[in-house]
Amino acid sequence: MVIHVENIQKSFGKQEVLKGIDLDFFEGQIYSILGPNGSGKTTFMKSILGLVKPNNGKIMVGGSDGMKDHEYRSNIGYVPQIARFPENLKVNEVIDLVTSIRKQPSFPQEFVELFQIESFLNQRLKNLSGGTRQKVNLVLALMFKSDILILDEPTTGLDPINTIRLKELLLQLKSEGKTIIVTTHILHLAEELSDDIIFLLEGHVKYHGSTDRLLKLSHTKNLEEAIAAILQGEIDSEEETPVVNIYNRKKNA
Ligand SMILES: Nc1ncnc2c1ncn2[C@@H]1O[C@H](COP(=O)(O)OP(=O)(O)OP(=O)(O)O)[C@@H](O)[C@H]1O
Ligand SMILES: [Mg+2]
């Protein structure tokens, strides 16, 4: 196991965002974290990265205690949901800057070519289109060839061709044994990419398992319908399923 998360709780003021999350992440697997806006996906990812400090719980990353030892972060590639760039820098300047901060010997040529941003290297970040900024953001996260990748809405702004490029790259990295955790609201992408779906709702994991199992439980044909079924409480209440019928939860609790 690469990442072990136990009973993670996080509140912002009185708002309880994560109410006790237990999850294990293994190598060579892609996990999609799904859930409505504000369900705590980014907060959960930032907790693993050490960018948000949980109020309670335990996080182990590659054998290091994620709450104390922050060295492990250098082995995680992270694409934030909202990237904050030094806007006046040019693309090649920001790549050089990041390269000099972290131990990376060479220019990330393969990723620059993959996302076709060669012609933008001399442009200032503030002048880039949304999709091109996102490609720069992806190159900056991928260039270190980290064993763990945490990607928060990585397809935001990408056109269909680049979304396919990213998808193929992630499947390639998975086959090399990387652990990939991704959030997306594009359900067909989650369906095509993921070994496991993790559905967050109201601070809890409402479903964790394969897409196939979820489709079977919900008697649906695709993830979109299956998630509608979770939200409408239409999942079969098999005893072994961790899927909770949210509308009947109070009754059954
Ligand atoms: N630093 C913060 N201070 C106060 N509240 C916060 C902070 N970060 C997140 N929150 C709140 O925590 C909740 C969960 O936010 P989070 O960004 O984790 O959701 P999300 O699932 O990633 O949503 P989205 O799909 O919109 O990206 C929201 O209600 C948000 O307002
Ligand atoms: Mg988010």
Side-chain angles (χ1 to χ4, degrees), residues 9-226:
Q9 297 173 17
K10 178 65 187 176
S11 299
F12 293 107
K14 285 187 181 155
Q15 188 192 4
E16 289 179 75
V17 176
L18 304 176
K19 300 179 185 169
I21 305 288
D22 299 299
L23 288 168
D24 287 325
F25 299 91
F26 293 85
E27 60 187 36
Q29 301 282 303
I30 301 182
Y31 301 85
S32 286
I33 303 189
L34 308 180
N37 293 139
S39 55
K41 302 179 297 293
T42 297
T43 303
F44 176 71
M45 287 181 150
K46 286 187 172 175
S47 301
I48 296 176
L49 289 154
L51 298 174
V52 158
K53 196 172 182 299
N55 304 100
N56 237 317
K58 187 172 164 185
I59 300 174
M60 299 292 292
V61 182
S64 301
D65 185 338
M67 305 288 249
K68 294 184 190 137
D69 171 13
H70 287 170
E71 272 288 293
Y72 72 88
R73 277 194 233 168
S74 60
N75 202 21
I76 304 182
Y78 174 48
V79 176
Q81 185 167 16
I82 299 168
R84 293 183 211 287
F85 289 127
E87 294 287 322
N88 265 327
L89 289 187
K90 294 177 180 168
V91 175
N92 52 13
E93 289 169 342
V94 83
I95 291 175
D96 286 348
L97 178 72
V98 173
T99 305
S100 68
I101 295 170
R102 290 176 58 170
K103 299 171 215 129
Q104 171 71 17
S106 59
F107 184 79
Q109 190 61 32
E110 60 181 299
F111 299 117
V112 166
E113 280 175 20
L114 177 71
F115 291 112
Q116 300 183 339
I117 58 168
E118 296 96 328
S119 57
F120 300 102
L121 290 173
N122 275 314
Q123 287 200 17
R124 291 186 200 286
L125 292 162
K126 65 177 178 189
N127 295 333
L128 299 179
S129 73
T132 306
R133 288 170 74 96
Q134 185 66 357
K135 291 181 201 171
V136 173
N137 201 13
L138 286 166
V139 170
L140 294 175
L142 294 165
M143 62 194 267
F144 299 99
K145 311 218 165 155
S146 315
D147 292 332
I148 301 170
L149 279 173
I150 295 187
L151 311 170
D152 198 347
E153 299 282 353
T155 60
T156 302
L158 294 187
D159 61 35
I161 304 270
N162 283 290
T163 301
I164 291 170
R165 283 189 185 126
L166 177 65
K167 187 183 88 182
E168 286 172 355
L169 176 65
L170 295 181
L171 289 170
Q172 167 67 28
L173 293 170
K174 163 193 145 103
S175 75
E176 292 168 14
K178 312 284 189 198
T179 303
I180 300 170
I181 305 176
V182 55
T183 63
T184 181
H185 291 293
I186 304 178
L187 295 180
H188 71 84
L189 185 73
E191 199 164 350
E192 286 162 20
L193 271 181
S194 325
D195 297 289
D196 276 17
I197 299 287
I198 295 161
F199 194 84
L200 282 188
L201 192 68
E202 298 174 348
H204 297 283
V205 174
K206 291 295 181 203
Y207 176 78
H208 178 201
S210 69
T211 308
D212 283 350
R213 179 165 159 267
L214 180 58
L215 298 187
K216 221 170 116 203
L217 286 172
S218 58
H219 307 292
T220 55
K221 289 200 174 57
N222 59 49
L223 200 47
E224 208 163 24
E225 290 175 8

